[in-house]
């Protein structure tokens, strides 16, 4: 599960994420999820954590 900027769990429709990037916010690297050209959200999870969540979701779908 991804986390918000304050560290709380955050529910994201991971299947809709199109790109993941990193920005530095107050000295911490945080992830930016892009859903399309007009919608982005900053999360407290790193790019590595986001990619792991995407991979885990893919494995759950493949297991069905």
């Amino acid at each position: 599960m991804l986390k918000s900027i304050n560290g709380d769990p955050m529910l994201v429709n991971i299947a809709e994420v199109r790109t993941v990037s990193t920005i530095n916010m107050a000295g911490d690297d945080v992830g930016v999820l892009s859903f399309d050209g007009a919608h982005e959200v900053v999360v407290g999870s790193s790019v590595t954590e986001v990619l792991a969540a995407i991979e885990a979701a893919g494995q759950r779908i493949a297991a069905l």
Side-chain angles (χ1 to χ4, degrees):
M1 178 163 299
L2 302 180
K3 59 186 174 190
S4 66
I5 293 295
N6 65 2
D8 291 337
M10 182 175 182
L11 202 59
V12 173
N13 184 354
I14 209 79
E16 294 297 320
V17 173
R18 298 295 170 245
T19 62
V20 182
S21 58
T22 302
I23 60 171
N24 187 284
M25 192 176 239
D28 291 327
D29 286 338
V30 295
V32 178
L33 308 180
S34 296
F35 297 94
D36 58 34
H39 297 91
E40 295 181 335
V41 65
V42 176
V43 295
S45 301
S46 67
V47 169
T48 303
E49 293 167 328
V50 173
L51 295 177
I54 291 169
E55 182 178 339
Q59 289 174 356
R60 282 191 298 275
I61 291 169
L64 296 176

